[in-house]
């Protein structure tokens, strides 16, 4: 008599968006504004009369509503301020267009990367294993970013138990990032680009036997050209951003390179537990990645040079586009059109480890697609404080509404924060995360269909996305994984944000 054991897939939860809930389910900020407005109105009512006091109270209530109403997670005040900033940028400062090259105002006539990457510099280091690595310096923030080229093993021939181990080890890896106080962010980029077939054709020519029959040789040559036709290559990379903690490292990139040379092998070596083979990207590879993203037409040129083992000769100062223009809902760069979405909300219920597969897999209607996951770890001390605070806020949200009328959202939030407390005791880390999704089309007429397909795939992945209106260029730069973390560049005032 035999028994069959069925491996059930592990179930995960995305957590909840951090927020502070006070009385009546409102945020602490909203309650504070309401209390201040009521106090002023009450004083006017006592000393100035009933009618002025009630009128001022009504005005305060009307002014409070746009702070409470927050479609897509942004208050109406925040949305209005952002719209005014876009109007100023579009029509007054005219900073939505970028021109580079000899006939531009760029110093030296170079083709520098635009926007948030304009002031960055690229440096070269060698780790203790002798591997060269490129290091992007963000001087304004005193931050450095290294990028690791990743080769995930895939899950087609992996049993369920190994998948669960890979997932668990990836969680441990992210938790360990919070143990280092100078790591401010990690970005995972998985992109699909059209396959050129050049590598396969070159491999066939190199391995072809000189005495091979003519018909067979011709068949293999033609197959090497036709097989990649219409196919895609999937590339993956991980970038880790560090904050320089000493004056020497802030001023001298060589000092930071020496520090990273010691630590980097452990960072990419530990990815093996998650089923990922990794090695640091060289400075030349980083330049090629940035340039072909802004100018997709150069992809074949870079691949041919890489196959031939020849340097491409492009400097970091010339890795940007010749011309780019950002619009409210898309981004034009060197003849290509890109659209960026940001994650408005994670999956609302539990999910398996394959939830993002619809977005990660190549799609015939999306020749160029890039999914970027951004992680910002808390330090061990801050993580414990954040978890306890979120748990207290969840309890308060339940109690403020009454146990009998508490909403399902409040109960779910309490359950998730309680679980987070238990996991924290067991050694789990705490981090903030977000996602960006970018598609690029050569023909602007294809953008509409590509956008519809993308939103359909996001629905299958149970992600709620919203188009990055008004900051398509910044979203595009952040999605490249070159060290740009959007939360560090917020332009709206903290006074008008929902929480």
């Amino acid at each position: 008599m035999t028994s069959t054991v069925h491996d059930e897939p592990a179930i995960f939860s995305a957590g909840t968006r951090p927020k502070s809930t006070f009385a009546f389910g409102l945020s602490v900020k909203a309650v504070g504004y309401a209390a201040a407005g009521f106090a002023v109105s009450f004083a006017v009512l006592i000393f100035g009369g009933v009618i002025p006091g009630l009128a001022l109270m009504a005005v305060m209530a009307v002014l409070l509503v746009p702070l409470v109403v927050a479609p897509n997670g942004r208050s109406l005040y925040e949305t209005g301020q952002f719209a005014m900033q876009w109007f100023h940028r579009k029509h007054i400062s005219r900073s939505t267009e970028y021109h580079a090259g000899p006939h531009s105002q760029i110093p030296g006539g170079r083709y520098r990367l635009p926007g948030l990457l304009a002031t960055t510099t690229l440096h070269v280091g060698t780790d203790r294993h002798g591997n060269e690595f490129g290091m992007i310096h963000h001087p304004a923030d005193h931050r450095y970013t290294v990028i690791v080229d990743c080769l995930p093993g895939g899950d087609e021939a992996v049993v369920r138990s190994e998948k669960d181990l890979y997932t668990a080890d990836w969680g441990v890896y992210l938790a360990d990032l919070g143990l280092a106080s100078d790591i401010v962010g990690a970005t995972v980029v998985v992109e699909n680009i059209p396959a050129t077939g050049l590598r396969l054709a070159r491999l066939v020519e190199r391995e072809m036997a000189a005495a091979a029959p003519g018909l067979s040789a011709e068949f293999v040559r033609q197959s090497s050209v036709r097989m990649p036709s219409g196919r895609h290559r999937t590339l993956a990379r991980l970038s880790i951003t560090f904050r320089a903690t000493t004056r020497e490292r802030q001023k001298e990139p060589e000092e930071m390179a020496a520090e990273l040379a010691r630590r980097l092998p452990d960072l990419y070596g530990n990815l093996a537990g998650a089923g990922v083979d990794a090695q640091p990207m060289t400075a030349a590879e980083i330049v090629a990645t940035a340039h072909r993203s802004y100018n997709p037409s150069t992809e074949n040129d870079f691949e041919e040079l890489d196959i031939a083992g020849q340097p491409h000769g492009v400097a970091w100062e010339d890795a940007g586009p010749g011309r780019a223009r950002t619009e409210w809902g898309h981004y034009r760069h060197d003849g290509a059109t890109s659209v960026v979405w940001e994650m408005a909300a994670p999956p609302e219920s539990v999910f398996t480890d394959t939830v993002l597969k619809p977005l990660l897999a190549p799609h015939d209607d999306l020749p160029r697609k890039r999914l970027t996951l951004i992680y910002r770890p808390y330090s061990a001390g801050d993580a414990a404080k954040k978890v306890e605070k979120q748990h207290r806020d969840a309890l308060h949200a339940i109690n403020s509404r009454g146990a009998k009328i508490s909403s399902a959202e409040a109960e779910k939030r309490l359950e998730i924060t309680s679980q987070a407390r238990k996991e924290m005791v067991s050694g789990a880390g705490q981090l903030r995360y977000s996602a960006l999704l970018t598609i690029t089309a050569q023909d602007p007429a294809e953008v509409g269909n590509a956008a519809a397909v993308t939103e359909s795939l996001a629905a299958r992945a149970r992600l709620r996305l919203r188009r990055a209106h008004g900051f398509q260029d910044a979203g595009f730069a952040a999605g490249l994984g070159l060290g740009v973390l959007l939360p560090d560049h917020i332009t709206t005032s903290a006074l008008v944000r929902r929480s």
Side-chain angles (χ1 to χ4, degrees), residues 300-313:
N300 291 4
D301 299 331
F302 280 112
E303 189 166 351
E304 287 181 354
L305 292 172
D306 184 38
I307 294 172
Q310 300 178 5
H312 53 68

Side-chain angles (χ1 to χ4, degrees), residues 419-436:
Q419 181 66 24
R421 293 181 72 205
K422 297 177 183 179
E423 293 174 352
M424 181 66 65
V425 174
S426 302
Q430 183 77 1
L431 50 81
R432 296 154 289 182
Y433 66 93
S434 58
L436 295 170

Side-chain angles (χ1 to χ4, degrees), residues 86-109:
W86 169 258
F87 180 85
H88 181 275
R89 183 184 180 192
K90 176 76 173 178
H91 300 286
I92 300 177
S93 65
R94 299 186 182 275
S95 60
T96 57
E97 293 201 17
Y98 175 79
H99 298 267
H103 303 289
S104 69
Q105 297 181 358
I106 304 297

Side-chain angles (χ1 to χ4, degrees), residues 129-149:
H129 291 170
N131 296 320
E132 178 189 330
F133 64 92
M135 182 181 68
I136 304 173
H137 182 205
H138 299 256
D141 302 323
H142 301 302
R143 293 180 178 180
Y144 296 85
T145 299
V146 292
I147 305 177
V148 178
D149 186 24

Side-chain angles (χ1 to χ4, degrees), residues 222-283:
Q222 292 185 16
S223 298
S224 68
V225 175
R226 294 183 180 180
M227 282 182 61
S229 178
R231 302 295 181 88
H232 297 80
R233 293 175 59 200
T234 299
L235 307 176
R237 57 184 180 270
L238 167 67
S239 64
I240 304 176
T241 300
F242 300 82
R243 180 182 62 253
T245 55
T246 65
R247 180 174 294 275
E248 290 77 11
R249 294 172 187 171
Q250 291 175 0
K251 301 296 183 182
E252 299 294 336
E254 291 77 11
E255 294 291 331
M256 192 66 185
E259 170 66 12
L260 295 183
R262 178 182 62 84
R263 298 168 56 182
L264 190 56
D266 292 333
L267 289 173
Y268 63 79
N270 292 340
L271 289 170
V276 178
D277 294 329
Q279 61 180 4
M281 293 182 65
T282 64

Side-chain angles (χ1 to χ4, degrees), residues 3-58:
S3 60
T4 303
V5 178
H6 298 281
D7 290 335
E8 296 293 335
I11 301 298
F12 303 91
S13 172
T16 59
R17 181 174 180 174
K19 59 181 180 180
S20 299
T21 305
F22 201 61
F24 309 108
L26 300 177
S27 66
V28 175
K29 182 184 297 183
V31 173
Y33 286 161
F38 177 79
V40 174
S41 301
F42 190 72
V44 172
L45 188 145
I46 293 176
F47 299 104
V50 175
I51 295 179
L54 294 177
L56 181 58
M57 197 173 296

Side-chain angles (χ1 to χ4, degrees), residues 16 390-399 408-421:
T16 59
Q390 288 300 312
H391 183 65
R392 289 195 303 269
D393 290 337
L395 283 173
H396 194 85
I398 290 285
N399 297 331
E409 179 185 0
E411 293 177 355
K412 174 189 173 184
R413 183 182 170 202
L414 178 61
E415 179 182 353
I416 292 175
T417 55
S418 299
Q419 181 66 24
R421 293 181 72 205

